[in-house]
């Protein structure tokens, strides 16, 4: 699996949606389609959200247009992407072809971005479990996992209801489902994590920072009539602490937290939701 960070620069100053992940997603699909139509189709049709997309991160000006903000000329912006499924490495190659080798632009409705830098890291389920095991053994029960939910995080409770709080059961159960779904078939028995929602509730405590906690309503799709499909989510800095957890559980939870930097948390991650950064602290 891959984590990719693009540094992009706008060709002028122009408006973008306040929650621009959906628009960025369309631009990424268009760029992918230009180099590999099959990959573009696979990303769009993925049932597990194998591509994560943060939308534009950076400093913006205000805009007179409702629900918009303006990118600033000569500023640079960060776009974080993740390829969570190790069977989708073709996605990474297509992205590199589009934004590095083809010198493509990211084309939005009101302006374009040039890609100034393209950096990536890669890992595997095995690597993450190994790293998590070393952390759990070294730090015993004294460490915390700090998660910054950088973009609105929408965790499904049902087809039309999303959770709006970084509750430990919801966050880690959502990440667990994607972890087990993305393990290569030949390693499924070896790396599958067998935990339940109740396990997370019993062994963890969440402590969100009230000063950073916000709720959001974001565009995640459009209906057949073109009307917006909106979902609710949250952003926050949240610390997860263990309470009497075994080393095996500490290892599993830490691996899931590290995995979330590649896979995102919750639903609609390809449309700009659920991008996180994680810090394991003593």
């Amino acid at each position: 699996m891959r984590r990719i960070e693009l540094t992009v620069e706008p060709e002028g100053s122009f408006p973008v949606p306040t929650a621009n992940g959906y628009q960025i997603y369309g631009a990424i699909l268009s760029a992918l389609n230009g180099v590999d139509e099959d990959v573009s189709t696979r990303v769009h049709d993925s049932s597990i959200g194998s591509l994560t997309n943060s939308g534009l991160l950076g400093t913006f000006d205000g805009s007179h247009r409702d629900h918009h903000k303006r990118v600033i000329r000569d500023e640079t912006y960060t776009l974080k992407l993740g390829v969570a499924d190790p069977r989708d490495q073709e996605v990474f190659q297509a992205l590199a072809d589009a934004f590095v080798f083809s010198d493509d632009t990211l084309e939005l409705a009101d302006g374009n971005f040039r890609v100034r830098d393209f950096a990536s890291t890669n890992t595997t389920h095995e690597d993450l479990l190994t790293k998590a095991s070393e952390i759990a053994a070294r730090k015993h029960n004294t460490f915390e996992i700090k998660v910054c939910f950088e973009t609105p995080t929408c965790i499904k409770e049902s087809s039309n209801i999303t959770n709006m709080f970084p509750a430990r059961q919801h966050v880690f159960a959502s990440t667990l489902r994607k972890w087990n779904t993305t393990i290569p078939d030949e390693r499924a028995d070896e790396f599958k994590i067998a935990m339940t929602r109740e396990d997370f509730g019993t062994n963890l405590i969440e402590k969100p920072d009230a000063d950073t906690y916000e709720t959001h309503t974001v565009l995640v799709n459009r209906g057949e009539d073109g009307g917006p499909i909106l979902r609710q989510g949250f952003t926050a800095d949240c610390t997860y602490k263990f309470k009497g957890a075994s080393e095996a559980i500490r290892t599993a939870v830490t691996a899931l937290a590290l995995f979330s930097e590649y896979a995102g948390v919750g639903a609609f991650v390809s449309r700009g939701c659920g991008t996180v950064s994680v810090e394991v602290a003593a």
Side-chain angles (χ1 to χ4, degrees):
M1 64 191 83
R2 298 270 184 171
R3 188 171 59 204
I4 302 159
E5 187 168 300
L6 301 179
T7 302
V8 298
E9 184 177 357
E11 296 180 340
S13 177
F14 52 87
V16 296
T18 303
N20 51 74
Y22 181 78
Q23 190 178 85
I24 293 292
Y25 175 62
I28 292 170
L29 286 183
S30 178
L32 286 175
N33 195 59
V35 297
D36 193 324
E37 292 183 11
D38 290 340
V39 168
S40 180
T41 300
R42 283 179 61 196
V43 168
H44 184 267
D45 294 343
S46 172
S47 62
I48 62 170
S50 59
L51 179 72
T52 65
N53 150 41
S54 68
L56 297 168
L57 303 174
T59 303
F60 300 85
D61 272 340
S63 172
H64 295 299
R65 191 187 302 184
D66 289 344
H67 310 298
H68 281 69
K69 54 191 176 184
R70 294 188 69 84
V71 298
I72 302 171
R73 184 191 299 271
D74 298 328
E75 281 282 338
T76 58
Y77 296 85
T78 299
L79 173 59
K80 296 182 179 181
L81 306 176
V83 184
D85 190 335
R87 290 159 289 195
D88 278 352
Q89 291 308 314
E90 295 91 343
V91 177
F92 169 76
Q93 187 58 54
L95 288 166
D97 289 346
F99 296 121
V100 178
F101 304 116
S102 299
D103 193 31
D104 205 349
T105 59
L106 197 64
E107 298 181 1
L108 304 187
D110 294 291
N112 300 334
F113 287 86
R114 283 282 176 188
V115 176
R116 297 306 184 195
D117 190 46
F118 182 104
S120 73
T121 58
N122 66 292
T123 193
T124 65
H125 292 79
E126 182 176 15
D127 291 341
L128 293 177
L129 278 171
T130 298
K131 182 176 181 180
S133 179
E134 292 171 351
I135 292 170
R138 184 175 69 250
K139 293 181 177 291
H140 303 289
N141 203 29
T142 61
F143 68 97
E144 304 171 347
I145 298 174
K146 298 180 179 179
V147 181
C148 174
F149 296 91
E150 297 181 283
T151 64
T153 301
C154 305
I155 302 174
K156 284 186 176 181
E157 291 296 297
S158 67
S159 59
N160 293 316
I161 299 174
T162 51
N163 186 274
M164 298 177 67
F165 188 79
R168 56 199 183 275
Q169 300 98 320
H170 303 308
V171 168
F172 284 96
S174 171
T175 307
L176 173 64
R177 286 192 295 272
K178 187 173 289 190
W179 170 282
N180 286 336
T181 303
T182 57
I183 300 171
D185 292 338
E186 66 275 10
R187 310 295 295 273
D189 292 340
E190 188 176 357
F191 299 136
K192 182 178 181 179
I193 294 177
M195 292 184 67
T196 66
R197 186 183 295 261
E198 290 71 27
D199 290 331
F200 298 120
T202 301
N203 290 279
L204 288 168
I205 301 171
E206 73 274 351
K207 292 193 172 182
D209 180 348
D211 291 335
T212 63
Y213 174 73
E214 294 185 36
T215 59
H216 306 263
T217 298
V218 293
L219 172 69
V220 298
N221 211 337
R222 290 195 178 277
E224 294 182 1
D225 61 354
I229 297 176
L230 305 174
R231 291 294 181 267
Q232 288 69 47
F234 64 88
T235 52
D237 295 339
C238 188
T239 298
Y240 296 91
K241 298 183 177 183
F242 294 101
K243 51 177 182 177
S246 67
E247 184 173 325
I249 287 178
R250 299 198 307 271
T251 297
V253 169
T254 303
L256 292 174
L258 298 173
F259 173 70
S260 68
E261 289 195 308
Y262 295 82
V265 174
F268 314 113
V269 292
S270 63
R271 272 98 169 152
C273 297
T275 294
V276 302
S277 58
V278 174
E279 178 186 354
V280 179

